[in-house]
Amino acid sequence: MSSATANEIHIASFVVQHRDDAAAALATWIAASVDMELARSEGTRSIVLCECADQYALLDRIEALRAVPGVLNVLLVYHHAEPGEALDTPMPTLTVTGVAP
């Protein structure tokens, strides 16, 4: 791994399609993960957020989600990578002008 990618943060979201009766097991499995979060679950679809160190870990999470009993498919919806120190940089303040009250 090069030094350019050694300190990257990868942020991704997935739509997990699963059987209705698998939702509880999926939620339990995600809750036990240190780098994933269940953002929303409804019926047979769940939205999962993931923040991990590299693209290989991200692929491992996708495969692990697919292995949960009752999961039918895992779709990568969003993936973003940037240096970890960039997340600590404050965002610039935006000023809106010309807007009527």
Side-chain angles (χ1 to χ4, degrees), residues 1-8 83-85:
M1 181 181 321
S2 73
S3 62
T5 59
N7 65 349
E8 282 187 342
E85 58 271 0

Side-chain angles (χ1 to χ4, degrees), residues 36-54:
M36 291 199 297
E37 176 184 335
L38 182 60
R40 182 173 175 117
S41 185
E42 188 174 312
T44 59
R45 290 187 197 105
S46 296
I47 299 171
V48 179
L49 306 177
C50 179
E51 185 176 315
C52 54
D54 58 47

Side-chain angles (χ1 to χ4, degrees), residues 70-82:
V71 168
L72 305 172
N73 199 10
V74 179
L75 305 165
L76 176 65
V77 176
Y78 176 80
H79 177 221
H80 175 76
E82 66 179 82

